[in-house]
Amino acid sequence: MRKNVVAGNWKMNTTLQEGVALAKDVNEALKGVTPKCDVVICTPFTHLASVNAVIDTDKLGLGAENCADHKSGAYTGEVSAPMVASTGATYVILGHSERRQYYGETSEILKEKVALALENNLTPIFCIGEVLAERENGIYNEVVKKQIEDALFHLSAEDFGKIILAYEPVWAIGTGKTATPEQAEDMHAHIRSLIAGRYGKEVADNTSILYGGSCKPSNAKELFAKPDIDGGLIGGAALDAASFMGIVTAF
Ligand code: 13P
């Protein structure tokens, strides 16, 4: 059966020293509890090796926030999937709306990133979600369907089974405006039915689909209570160990 997952996305926040301190705080907080979910922190590239050295990776997974769409070579400033894996990280966020919006990531590029992540035994946390105008125009189901079809549905069932999805409505990211549990559940059920249509019910039932967008300790319980919501991808609230733990323990 699918896993529940709470993953932090630190985005472009914290210096190395601040990041290591935050990771240590989360690691320490986890010692006292047995969470009913896998817990992951996704940090800036610069922090990965140092964070890996101070956490118990049996209890706290580590991931990057992106990786390059090439394996190696003359791509100044890029960080490859093998490089990420060599730090000890085992997850990578791909297709975050901020990458799509500000750095022009298309489904074609994301296909390459997904392939390289899988080749290097990194679990992709693959983000999808509509912008506000698409929500208001009522085309959100089609938008998300196309994002998934274009970037993922060429995969074999075996490879698709290695992916965690994260539904992040762009209008809910960093805005304090969370999707209602009903809006999120409707979308998650839609996504699961698309997966069932392509790969069958068993693969669909085994796929973890996280919600992201202004998820906080105060609203996590209600969201995670929904049958198709298997956890969260957490931005702002992951930058404070206590609030992140408040979400982890919402299961
Ligand atoms: P916030 O939790 O800050 O809204 O960010 C969500 C997000 O983008 C996680 O990837």
Side-chain angles (χ1 to χ4, degrees):
M1 234 0 230
R2 61 186 179 256
K3 286 179 174 175
N4 293 326
V5 181
V6 171
N9 173 10
W10 290 7
K11 307 194 179 184
M12 196 174 73
N13 293 295
T14 73
T15 62
L16 174 60
Q17 291 74 18
E18 290 163 351
V20 168
L22 174 56
K24 279 183 178 169
D25 285 348
V26 174
N27 189 63
E28 200 55 37
L30 280 169
K31 283 184 183 160
V33 290
T34 309
K36 296 196 183 78
C37 59
D38 287 357
V39 186
V40 178
I41 49 176
C42 297
T43 80
F45 293 129
T46 47
H47 301 17
L48 290 171
S50 307
V51 166
N52 186 57
V54 300
I55 61 172
D56 173 0
T57 47
D58 288 339
K59 287 200 89 170
L60 180 57
L62 178 63
E65 301 172 15
N66 181 28
C67 72
D69 56 342
H70 297 278
K71 199 177 286 186
S72 65
Y75 302 100
T76 302
E78 287 294 289
V79 177
S80 70
M83 290 174 188
V84 169
S86 72
T87 68
T90 56
Y91 294 84
V92 61
I93 297 171
L94 293 176
H96 192 280
S97 60
E98 288 149 18
R99 302 289 324 167
R100 293 176 188 260
Q101 233 179 320
Y102 308 140
Y103 301 97
E105 288 195 3
T106 61
S107 293
E108 285 309 304
I109 292 171
L110 290 171
K111 271 173 146 170
E112 301 299 325
K113 295 190 178 199
V114 167
L116 287 163
L118 292 174
E119 246 173 61
N120 288 281
N121 298 315
L122 298 170
T123 299
I125 301 175
F126 191 88
C127 303
I128 56 223
E130 81 284 359
V131 300
L132 184 60
E134 293 162 341
R135 169 64 50 173
E136 289 176 344
N137 291 336
I139 56 168
Y140 43 93
N141 280 341
E142 289 74 22
V143 167
V144 168
K145 177 172 187 256
K146 190 164 166 47
Q147 289 174 337
I148 296 175
E149 280 177 352
D150 289 356
L152 300 177
F153 274 6
H154 64 288
L155 293 171
S156 66
E158 191 192 342
D159 278 347
F160 187 87
K162 296 173 185 163
I163 289 177
I164 294 173
L165 289 175
Y167 169 57
E168 300 205 308
V170 180
W171 47 271
I173 295 178
T175 57
K177 200 178 161 193
T178 325
T180 65
E182 291 70 31
Q183 283 174 320
E185 170 59 23
D186 281 354
M187 179 58 86
H188 283 227
H190 168 62
I191 293 168
R192 207 177 297 285
S193 75
L194 294 172
I195 301 168
R198 169 67 180 86
Y199 295 106
K201 189 173 180 321
E202 195 182 334
V203 173
D205 283 346
N206 285 328
T207 304
S208 298
I209 310 175
L210 317 185
Y211 168 80
S214 300
C215 188
K216 303 181 275 280
S218 57
N219 59 27
K221 222 183 190 76
E222 247 191 314
L223 286 159
F224 297 171
K226 293 293 181 190
D228 289 296
I229 302 181
D230 308 310
L233 183 56
I234 318 301
L239 294 171
D240 175 78
S243 68
F244 186 58
M245 287 304 296
I247 298 172
V248 167
T249 53
F251 270 112

